[in-house]
Amino acid sequence: MVKISTFSLLIIFSLLFLSSLSFAHQNYKDALKKSILFFEGQRSGKLPPDQRLHWRRDSALLDGHSVGRDLTGGYYDAGDNIKFGFPMAFSITLLSWSVIDFGRNMRGELPNALKAVRWGTDYLLKATAEVPNVMYVQVGDPYSDHNCWERPEDMDTLRTVYTIDRNHPGSDVAGETAAALAAASIVFRSRDRTYSRLLLSRAVKVFKFANKYRGAYSSSLKRAVCPFYCDVNGYQDELLWGAAWLHKATRRREYREYIVKNEVILRAGDTINEFGWDNKHAGINVLISKEVLMGRADDLRNFKNNADGFICSVIPGVAHPEVQYSPGGLIFKTGGSNMQHVTSLSFLLLAYSNYLSHSNHQVPCGGISASSTLLKQLAKRQVDYILGDNPLRMSYMVGYGPHYPQRIHHRGSSLPSVHVHPAHIGCKAGSRFYLSPNPNPNKLVGAVVGGPDLTDAFPDSRPYFQESEPTTYINAPLVGLLAYFSAHA
């Protein structure tokens, strides 16, 4: 068992308490509102009358036309103009989980959160309408798109439609889509029963397709998704993830039996301190552990053990080189866009903290027991860092606080809006805006960027995309975190 030294305990307490003494209290309600508003800036398709970010306009209105389908809508995943189905579905799953666990804390922002979920699920329903024959998993050629710097409203790049089918499987993207639809069905169960039933019936069908025709979508689509959203981790975790959400949504025994039967085969205990669009292992274990902690699923106890291992691996001071902390106290993992790890891992800390609290449990981590309170404090420390409690005194959320990133790696934000500049801006004509040292003309309010490096340094420059690009899957778990702390700060 991992032991935690006295020195390590000092690290924990300094991260939690010492650095926070010199900072002002954060306005979590304001940050929550802005974190949800961000999704309106990422919308694709015909915008609704209640669109609040007015510098955006309709875009990609012919998506799917080349294959005789209406594939308009959905979200652009980041600062580009592609609709990648894999990270989009994950973002919807985490938005839904945020509402399921913390919707009661959202108060006046709950209707906006529901709209954000539904904008994604409406698109996922279009993308899965022909399952099991075919599933549409991406719209837009990434090489054509990444070769240009232009507004989504001006797009003249290839809007190629990419699919998976029985002979070209994608259990990962299909499994994640099933999870998103199932989770959203819970969100709308008491609000729109007809829509909830549609989401759940589609989730069942998509999961069956994912499980029957197994394979990674990276192998089927190759250069269309790699290296952008290549499934490095494999498709097995998405099958367990999809089954876990279907069990939560339906309570059907078949999904519980599937989880128990496939726990080892689908490697539930792998890479316990990883959670994101590519790797669901920690999320699977935390989600399923709620059943165990409530005393309803002793046959799933291994998942709780795995979740406990995840918790211990994230606590600062434990010898897990995969999870580091910057001098200012930010979680840091190698790879691009570090803030995606910060928000997703913090979300799991908070969710598990609530499950522990309701069941009166603690997590044994060598020399200490990690209490529900400790996990909440760790999660809050990460949120506070994002909002400005850091060495640079910078909020990494655009539009929040007096000092935030001005030159984010985002096409629509960095180019003049259609309202200001109605004329078409061509593929290469946008390059001068990309290279400009000037702040972005359009404020993408609520966008959280990739964030600082391991030394707490941040360049605030568009070409440094790993640090300056926002993504939907950074914000989705943050919505739940901000909702909780807005009510419990």
Side-chain angles (χ1 to χ4, degrees):
M1 182 176 287
V2 178
K3 292 290 183 183
I4 297 182
S5 66
T6 302
F7 177 71
S8 298
L9 285 173
L10 288 174
I11 292 175
I12 295 173
F13 292 122
S14 66
L15 284 172
L16 294 179
F17 306 115
L18 187 60
S19 61
S20 66
L21 294 177
S22 59
F23 295 103
H25 177 74
Q26 297 299 336
N27 188 339
Y28 301 110
K29 292 179 182 178
D30 183 51
L32 171 63
K33 177 180 180 178
K34 289 171 177 172
S35 70
I36 298 171
L37 180 60
F38 159 74
F39 287 91
E40 295 190 18
Q42 297 302 109
R43 283 171 170 171
S44 180
K46 185 168 182 59
L47 302 182
D50 61 355
Q51 170 79 12
R52 293 177 292 167
L53 284 180
H54 299 296
W55 55 267
R56 281 298 321 281
R57 293 291 190 273
D58 299 346
S59 62
L61 297 181
L62 294 178
D63 278 0
H65 181 75
S66 61
V67 294
R69 300 291 303 179
D70 173 13
L71 295 176
T72 58
Y75 291 110
Y76 303 117
D77 71 293
D80 52 25
N81 298 326
I82 305 296
K83 293 193 304 203
F84 291 99
F86 197 12
M88 190 195 307
F90 176 72
S91 298
I92 300 308
T93 307
L94 266 291
L95 264 179
S96 297
W97 197 354
S98 290
V99 173
I100 291 166
D101 276 23
F102 306 111
R104 63 190 177 279
N105 304 134
M106 293 180 183
R107 297 171 184 159
E109 285 305 309
L110 181 57
N112 291 320
L114 297 177
K115 289 177 184 177
V117 173
R118 187 156 186 160
W119 192 268
T121 51
D122 281 351
Y123 173 79
L124 294 180
L125 288 172
K126 293 179 181 181
T128 58
E130 296 181 59
V131 168
N133 296 319
V134 65
M135 178 175 159
Y136 302 99
V137 297
Q138 182 173 316
V139 181
D141 175 77
Y143 295 94
S144 175
D145 179 87
H146 284 75
N147 192 43
C148 294
W149 193 262
E150 60 184 350
R151 304 175 297 201
E153 293 85 358
D154 284 337
M155 268 191 290
D156 48 18
T157 52
L158 296 172
R159 300 301 288 173
T160 311
V161 175
Y162 297 92
T163 62
I164 57 173
D165 57 33
R166 303 177 188 195
N167 299 317
H168 306 88
S171 300
D172 32 29
V173 63
E176 181 60 68
T177 301
L181 293 167
S185 77
I186 300 173
V187 168
F188 291 104
R189 183 179 293 158
S190 62
R191 299 176 173 99
D192 187 336
R193 284 193 175 185
T194 300
Y195 190 64
S196 175
R197 284 195 292 265
L198 173 61
L199 293 171
L200 187 55
S201 64
R202 186 66 56 81
V204 169
K205 187 181 294 186
V206 173
F207 178 77
K208 184 177 180 180
F209 168 68
N211 187 51
K212 185 174 183 180
Y213 306 104
R214 294 190 179 188
Y217 91 139
S218 303
S219 301
S220 298
L221 297 179
K222 299 182 173 64
R223 290 182 74 251
V225 297
C226 293
F228 310 100
Y229 289 103
C230 191
D231 186 3
V232 177
N233 185 61
Y235 64 83
Q236 292 86 350
D237 54 327
E238 277 79 29
L239 290 177
L240 272 177
W241 180 240
W245 276 108
L246 276 163
H247 179 251
K248 186 175 179 68
T250 67
R251 314 310 300 176
R252 293 180 190 168
R253 186 168 186 83
E254 63 181 285
Y255 295 114
R256 183 179 187 134
E257 291 175 348
Y258 180 95
I259 293 166
V260 173
K261 179 181 178 181
N262 289 283
E263 173 193 341
V264 176
I265 299 171
L266 298 180
R267 312 196 317 262
D270 284 8
T271 51
I272 56 176
N273 54 25
E274 191 77 34
F275 185 52
W277 61 264
D278 182 34
N279 191 323
K280 311 305 183 310
H281 286 102
I284 292 165
N285 291 315
V286 167
L287 181 67
I288 294 176
S289 292
K290 183 177 183 181
E291 298 280 309
V292 182
L293 288 166
M294 299 304 172
R296 298 196 295 258
D298 202 57
D299 54 336
L300 300 175
R301 183 158 294 278
N302 284 344
F303 290 92
K304 180 192 174 295
N305 295 337
N306 293 337
D308 286 352
F310 157 70
I311 295 300
C312 296
S313 78
V314 178
I315 290 178
V318 179
H320 279 272
E322 298 88 356
V323 179
Q324 304 176 69
Y325 282 80
S326 74
L330 185 70
I331 289 174
F332 194 89
K333 289 177 67 69
T334 55
S337 188
N338 179 61
M339 213 62 90
Q340 66 177 307
H341 305 300
V342 177
T343 59
S344 61
L345 295 180
S346 297
F347 180 90
L348 293 185
L349 285 172
L350 181 62
Y352 204 60
S353 168
N354 279 354
Y355 304 159
L356 290 171
S357 178
H358 293 148
S359 60
N360 198 29
H361 279 73
Q362 295 189 347
V363 178
C365 292
I368 68 167
S369 289
S371 66
S372 171
T373 299
L374 176 62
L375 302 192
K376 283 187 174 70
Q377 290 169 337
L378 285 171
K380 184 176 181 292
R381 178 70 193 98
Q382 298 306 303
V383 173
D384 288 347
Y385 185 109
I386 292 171
L387 297 181
D389 290 8
N390 56 63
L392 296 182
R393 303 297 200 269
M394 169 177 271
S395 160
Y396 290 100
M397 175 184 285
V398 174
Y400 177 87
H403 185 38
Y404 51 82
Q406 300 289 329
R407 300 161 191 85
I408 67 173
H409 183 97
H410 189 279
R411 287 158 175 77
S413 172
S414 67
L415 292 157
S417 69
V418 174
H419 176 73
V420 172
H421 189 287
H424 178 87
I425 301 175
C427 170
K428 295 302 183 182
S431 299
R432 67 186 180 93
F433 298 99
Y434 171 73
L435 297 170
S436 169
N438 296 327
N440 287 11
N442 307 309
K443 194 178 296 182
L444 185 58
V445 176
V448 178
V449 297
D453 64 18
L454 186 54
T455 69
D456 298 303
F458 179 73
D460 194 12
S461 174
R462 291 178 207 96
Y464 290 84
F465 65 92
Q466 291 187 336
E467 290 84 6
S468 65
E469 187 170 21
T471 72
T472 56
Y473 45 89
I474 290 175
N475 270 56
L478 183 61
V479 168
L481 287 157
L482 291 170
Y484 179 84
F485 291 120
S486 70
H488 297 88

